[in-house]
Amino acid sequence: MFVVVPLSAVAAPYAAMVIDARTGEVLHSRNADTRLHPASLTKMMTLYIAFEAVERGEISLDTMVSVSANAAAEPPSKLGLKAGQRIKLRYLIRAAAVKSANDAATAIGEAIEGSEAAFARRMNRTAKALGMTRTTFKNMHGLTEEGHLSTARDMTTLGRHLLYDYPQYYNLFSRRSTDAGVREVANTNRRLLAAYKGADGIKTGYTRAAGFNLVASAERGNERVIATVFGGRSSAWRNARVAELLDMGFRRAPNQVAARKPEKPTYTAESGTTTSGAAGKTIRIMTAVRQSLRPKLRPGGTEEPAPVIVAMQDDIKEALQEAQQVSTAQPDTPANVTLASAAPAESITPRIRPKTIAAQAVAPAAEQEVVTRVSTSGGRHWGINVGRYSSQYKAERVLLQTALLEMDTLDGSLRKVVKRSTGFDANFLGLTRETADLACRRLQARQVTCFMVGPPPG
């Protein structure tokens, strides 16, 4: 007897990470440090090193790369390269970034380091320099191999470095299609790029062992968020989950924040030496000062400002602006608060409160309500309804199952069963409008009936 097991039942372990790309602040994480199969997210490191090699002068975008039999034999997804074929590096980069071609990724690594093993060692040195502490690479394409593992946190870190360290190449990841020399190829991430406002990258990945993975970045106004998912059940499920995580990131990220770009690591050779210039370039630095020169005065006898003060002017302005900003975060949104010990520049007279404060009229309940949990809603007046049932027991059971299913948005809400003439309504109350809307959309994505319940009029 054969039993057909659905894909979701054998799905890879789930992990997720969301950060504010401007500062690197973690906005959400789930199993973010669990070592899992990265699949084609691996190609982000292959491309990072390719960009580094071009910048250092080790190779050029127009270098003609000879495709090895090893590269040509890689399984799909692939560009279809043939052993002995010669192709420009720029086309291999496009194929690896957009189509996630395994043969192109292997050809890149062999062109730069000579072999897969040597390139994997460089990948691991680079990962260590970037702070990817729980990642080990064994190949340049991401096909499943024992010990080839990474984490949601490490891949998010790598995505942020790609964005900031090599911005001149970042547009590759937002192309819906591109010319890869031998043919036009479509982006494996084109559905999310088309469906999610502000999405502009970065990389998808899939193997049976890994599930459906994705590192995605999106920008809206002054805000940029990076979200990573490991272990998706399908490409559609993965895209929907990443969209939810990006939405969460934009809600939690502050509107105004001083960007703190990650520090670009220096290149580390296999010998252990570090360099920051092009290959073969020698820089001599003279440390001894031959003569101490007195600074010249400006016309009129005014001395020039100290160089340190000039260099710090922009930083001082940014710090003053941050200190003057007032946090406007909602009660359920984490906010960064800066405390200033300096006295205020001026005394502001507080406004006079109104003599009477109108209390919100609460109409008596027309029908019996059964409260199943103590309210911790903190004055939030929206809710959601997850169905009407024939008994109070069934309604309470559905509320409990739903609360366990959707803990992220419903945690802290008030569960209520309301008796109606036609049955028992199962409601979650004590939510903000934004949280209620998000909870409904997430539940509807799981095929759970849901609609929003607004506050009482008056």
Side-chain angles (χ1 to χ4, degrees):
M1 175 178 169
F2 293 95
V3 178
V4 178
V5 180
L7 179 61
S8 59
V10 293
Y14 171 82
M17 186 82 166
V18 183
I19 66 167
D20 184 336
R22 301 165 299 176
T23 62
E25 179 189 2
V26 177
L27 304 175
H28 169 80
S29 68
R30 181 73 61 83
N31 301 325
D33 295 312
T34 302
R35 282 165 58 84
L36 301 169
H37 297 287
S40 285
L41 301 187
T42 300
K43 295 186 181 76
M44 291 196 298
M45 179 59 81
T46 301
L47 293 164
Y48 186 95
I49 293 175
F51 303 153
E52 178 185 70
V54 171
E55 183 181 77
R56 284 173 35 81
E58 299 173 55
I59 196 169
S60 79
L61 293 173
D62 291 319
T63 296
M64 296 298 294
V65 175
S66 181
V67 179
S68 70
N70 179 50
E74 296 289 7
S77 172
K78 60 193 300 181
L79 185 58
L81 301 173
K82 306 297 181 183
Q85 179 179 350
R86 289 171 59 80
I87 184 171
K88 288 184 178 181
L89 179 68
R90 67 172 68 250
Y91 294 130
L92 295 175
I93 288 175
R94 292 177 188 177
V98 175
K99 181 175 172 52
S100 196
N102 296 324
D103 51 358
T106 298
I108 290 171
E110 291 177 341
I112 294 173
E113 287 293 334
S115 70
E116 184 176 76
F119 191 80
R121 290 194 294 270
R122 180 164 177 175
M123 294 171 81
N124 290 321
R125 293 196 306 274
T126 306
K128 183 178 180 180
L130 293 174
M132 299 168 64
T133 60
R134 295 182 61 78
T135 294
T136 305
F137 293 112
K138 295 295 184 72
N139 59 58
M140 54 277 271
H141 41 65
L143 293 172
T144 304
E145 185 172 344
E146 185 178 358
H148 185 96
L149 299 168
S150 187
T151 69
R153 185 185 305 276
D154 282 359
M155 281 297 164
T156 305
T157 297
L158 177 55
R160 185 170 184 243
H161 274 279
L162 270 173
L163 171 67
Y164 284 107
D165 293 356
Y166 297 102
Q168 67 272 37
Y169 299 110
Y170 186 74
N171 70 87
L172 282 170
F173 302 104
S174 63
R175 296 182 186 181
R176 311 291 174 85
S177 63
T178 191
D179 175 20
V182 296
R183 61 190 175 95
E184 189 86 357
V185 294
N187 198 318
T188 58
N189 196 31
R190 59 189 178 277
R191 288 186 175 86
L192 182 70
L193 292 173
Y196 193 87
K197 180 183 177 183
D200 57 7
I202 304 177
K203 190 74 191 70
T204 63
Y206 168 76
T207 63
R208 183 174 296 178
F212 292 83
N213 299 350
L214 176 60
V215 177
S217 178
E219 184 177 35
R220 291 181 179 177
N222 296 323
E223 301 172 19
R224 178 177 283 279
V225 172
I226 297 176
T228 298
V229 162
F230 274 57
R233 293 175 241 168
S234 67
S235 59
W237 186 96
R238 174 197 65 195
N239 290 350
R241 180 57 180 156
V242 165
E244 293 171 358
L245 292 174
L246 289 171
D247 284 344
M248 178 195 301
F250 282 117
R251 287 195 310 275
R252 295 183 177 181
N255 292 329
Q256 298 292 334
V257 66
R260 299 191 299 272
K261 295 181 180 180
E263 184 176 353
K264 187 176 180 179
T266 55
Y267 169 71
T268 303
E270 192 156 16
S271 62
T273 59
T274 60
T275 62
S276 57
K281 184 177 181 180
T282 302
I283 301 175
R284 290 185 173 86
I285 302 174
M286 180 177 291
T287 57
V289 179
R290 294 183 177 180
Q291 183 179 3
S292 178
L293 301 178
R294 184 181 183 85
K296 296 180 179 180
L297 297 179
R298 285 184 177 180
T302 303
E303 289 192 7
E304 294 184 6
V308 174
I309 299 300
V310 173
M312 292 179 60
Q313 283 179 353
D314 291 339
D315 292 338
I316 293 170
K317 289 179 182 179
E318 289 181 4
L320 287 173
Q321 290 173 358
E322 288 181 22
Q324 293 167 357
Q325 289 173 355
V326 179
S327 173
T328 59
Q330 296 296 328
D332 62 340
T333 304
N336 295 330
V337 181
T338 302
L339 301 180
S341 59
E346 59 180 18
S347 177
I348 301 174
T349 303
R351 296 181 181 179
I352 300 175
R353 291 184 177 181
K355 293 182 179 179
T356 60
I357 300 176
Q360 182 178 358
V362 180
E367 302 184 55
Q368 179 184 359
E369 295 185 3
V370 180
V371 181
T372 60
R373 185 177 177 184
V374 177
S375 172
T376 56
S377 60
R380 304 170 197 173
H381 305 297
W382 285 79
I384 63 173
N385 177 281
V386 291
R388 181 169 295 174
Y389 301 90
S390 58
S391 70
Q392 177 182 327
Y393 169 76
K394 289 183 179 179
E396 290 176 347
R397 183 178 178 181
V398 169
L399 284 172
L400 179 58
Q401 291 173 337
T402 306
L404 294 173
L405 180 68
E406 188 50 45
M407 294 180 65
D408 285 349
T409 54
L410 296 179
D411 185 37
S413 63
L414 171 71
R415 298 199 299 269
K416 278 191 176 182
V417 176
V418 181
K419 184 178 180 182
R420 307 291 186 190
S421 58
T422 57
F424 294 82
D425 282 359
N427 296 334
F428 287 92
L429 302 178
L431 302 170
T432 64
R433 179 171 185 168
E434 185 180 52
T435 305
D437 177 61
L438 175 62
C440 256
R441 286 190 287 112
R442 289 168 61 107
L443 290 171
Q444 289 167 355
R446 296 186 174 98
Q447 308 304 314
V448 176
T449 300
C450 179
F451 62 85
M452 293 173 60
V453 178

